[in-house]
Amino acid sequence: MDEAQKSMEEFQISREELLKLWGKVKDQNIEGLSEIESFYAGIIKNHEAMFIKEVDGVANPEAHEYEPEQGVNPYLHILLHGLVETQVIRKQPIEVIQFVNAMKKRDLAEHAIHHLLCAIFFPLILEGRNRGGETDMAKYATLLKQLKTKKPEKIDAFLDKKFHQTIS
C-alpha cells in the first residue's frame, strides 16, 4: 500500500459516525469535535440541503439503500469529498494541486473543483475494487494531468467516454 492510499484510509468515517455528525451539525452543536469529526462536519455543513433531502427525507436512514437512479447517496458523496479534500490538503498526488490551480484559473469555485475531483477519482476506486486491488494512483495522476487543460464542462463527457458510465 502506497502513502497516498494510507492517507486516504486515515480519513475514512462510518455511516453511523456521519449520521451522528449530521445530528450535531443540525443542532449547531459542533464544539469539542475531534480533528476528523470537524473535517467531516465542515463537509456536511456544505451539503445540508442534500442531507435534509437524502437523510432526513427517508425512512430509516441508518439502513436505507441508495440506488443511483433514486438520488444521491449522501454518505458516499461525503466520503468522496473527504478523500479528495484530503488529497488537496496533503498535496498528494501533486497533480491534484496542479488540477485545482488550473480550474481556479478558469474561475471555478472550490466546491465545484472538488466535485470534479470526485468524478475523476470515483471510477478509479471502482476499478480498483472490481480488480480486487487498490486504486491506481498513477492512472489518477495521469488523468489529472490530461484533464487540467480541459474546460470543466468537457470533463464529464470525457469521463463518460473513458469509463463508459454516467458520472454525476
Side-chain angles (χ1 to χ4, degrees):
M1 181 179 307
D2 67 15
E3 283 303 310
Q5 203 76 32
K6 286 180 190 171
S7 294
M8 290 187 303
E9 287 184 2
E10 289 175 22
F11 271 82
Q12 292 186 15
I13 190 168
S14 71
R15 178 185 275 212
E16 294 78 23
E17 291 167 314
L18 285 171
L19 272 171
K20 286 179 190 173
L21 279 175
W22 169 232
K24 290 181 179 193
V25 167
K26 278 196 305 188
D27 295 342
Q28 298 180 356
N29 180 22
I30 55 173
E31 298 295 319
L33 296 178
S34 70
E35 182 180 352
I36 190 169
E37 289 171 329
S38 292
F39 176 76
Y40 277 104
I43 297 170
I44 290 169
K45 190 156 181 47
N46 286 332
H47 293 85
E48 284 186 74
M50 178 182 65
F51 268 73
I52 289 167
K53 179 182 178 196
E54 302 293 346
V55 175
D56 294 348
V58 301
N60 194 16
E62 300 83 12
H64 183 77
E65 291 298 324
Y66 293 88
E67 300 297 327
E69 63 278 355
Q70 295 175 336
V72 176
N73 180 331
Y75 309 107
L76 177 59
H77 189 85
I78 297 303
L79 289 174
L80 283 170
H81 260 280
L83 288 171
V84 299
E85 289 183 34
T86 300
Q87 293 169 358
V88 173
I89 291 165
R90 294 185 175 172
K91 299 178 177 146
Q92 289 182 314
I94 194 63
E95 291 83 3
V96 82
I97 297 303
Q98 296 163 349
F99 179 86
V100 167
N101 290 337
M103 292 301 116
K104 283 181 179 178
K105 285 180 182 173
R106 294 180 180 272
D107 294 322
L108 204 61
E110 186 175 15
H111 195 187
I113 295 169
H114 292 166
H115 277 195
L116 283 175
L117 288 169
C118 290
I120 297 164
F121 196 54
F122 186 59
L124 296 172
I125 292 171
L126 292 178
E127 276 186 353
R129 188 195 68 187
N130 291 342
R131 284 194 319 270
E134 297 173 355
T135 303
D136 186 341
M137 296 304 286
K139 185 174 182 178
Y140 179 51
T142 299
L143 275 172
L144 290 171
K145 283 181 197 175
Q146 284 179 303
L147 295 173
K148 74 179 182 183
T149 61
K150 292 198 177 296
K151 291 181 180 179
E153 59 272 14
K154 301 282 186 183
I155 291 175
D156 279 339
F158 175 90
L159 293 170
D160 285 347
K161 186 176 177 183
K162 178 148 187 80
F163 293 104
H164 305 290
Q165 64 187 32
T166 301
I167 300 169
S168 50

